[in-house]
Amino acid sequence: GPRVTGKVVIITGANSVLGIGRASAHQFAQNGAKAVYICDYDDSNLEEHKREIETLYSSANVHTRQFDAADEKAISEVVKDALDRYGRLDVFFANAGILGPHTKFSDVEADEFMETMRVNALGPFLAAKYAAPAMQKTSAEKQKSSGSIIMTASVAGLRSNAGGTPYSASKAAVVSMAQTIAYQLVGTNIRVNALCPGLIETAMTAPVFDSARARGTEGKIGQLNPLRRGGHADEIARVALFLGSDESSYVNAQAWAVDGGLSSG
Ligand code: NAD
């Protein structure tokens, strides 16, 4: 697979047991990252998680951070820490997200709408705001190597779907920001891409899978895409690894669906 040797990587939403961020932390550590910051507001077993990665992949330094991914001060501090400690930042994977209210749009409260936008859209915006200048500082010395900002959007941000309106709106905002920010980073060798997972079995979607299993309609989930199955977090994490590596050096300003074909149907 692609290598990310010597790279310094920050990942938010990285502490969910079956989640995309956690699987990505493993991928980056396994493939040569010098340091991986695993950040999440949920710090349960975060230290065990760090030890697990460091035991499996001894070349990686793992740093844990407990913060809200839309907290500007916390984002600026973790970026500064990477620069102070390692003199570089190569990858920021802004992955933390929440599902928000799944009710009909007319039943959504304004504060629920704003909270979904805050975490899902403001979070990745702040990540780019602080990561890009830090990457720019170091990219001169790194020459050929490029900075990579990856934002987790969703197929829900690409096309109409049955999910919540705030969620879809927030993910469409992520797609828009990845493209807009990539264009504003002209000449910097920093790439910005939105990663758009389809239906992946994680804590976030467990209720969907569980209720389908209970009703014996599990097979229906897969019928939504030509691969006829839901995806695994690791299948997203491997694409995140590729986008964070120099193997994807010409992939920029894209909204990349990784969904088994769901969004093309
Ligand atoms: P998950 O719930 O397993 O993981 C999300 C992680 O983000 C959790 O560890 C959670 O604690 C953390 N988090 C939530 N809000 C946070 C905040 N404000 N600050 C810091 N951390 C926060 O879900 P997942 O499926 O791994 O989701 C990861 C990303 O993928 C999300 O952005 C989600 O919207 C997106 N996504 C998931 C799917 C899917 O089918 N699972 C599909 C498309 C997009």
Side-chain angles (χ1 to χ4, degrees), residues 13 16 19-20 40-41 68-69 95 152-154 167 171 197-198 200 202 205:
S16 171
I20 291 164
D40 207 299
Y41 73 169
D68 185 315
N95 167 72
T152 307
S154 168
Y167 185 79
K171 295 302 189 177
I200 312 300
T202 67
T205 53

Side-chain angles (χ1 to χ4, degrees), residues 15 26-27 44 46 48 55 68 70-72 76 86-87 89 98-99 110 124 133 152 155 157 161 175 236 240 246 256:
N15 195 36
H26 281 249
Q27 281 292 339
S44 46
L46 190 57
E48 283 91 331
T55 306
D68 185 315
D71 176 341
E72 184 159 13
S76 75
Y86 298 102
L89 175 64
I98 55 173
L99 203 48
T152 307
V155 292
N161 72 97
V175 169
I236 305 302
D246 296 333
W256 197 343

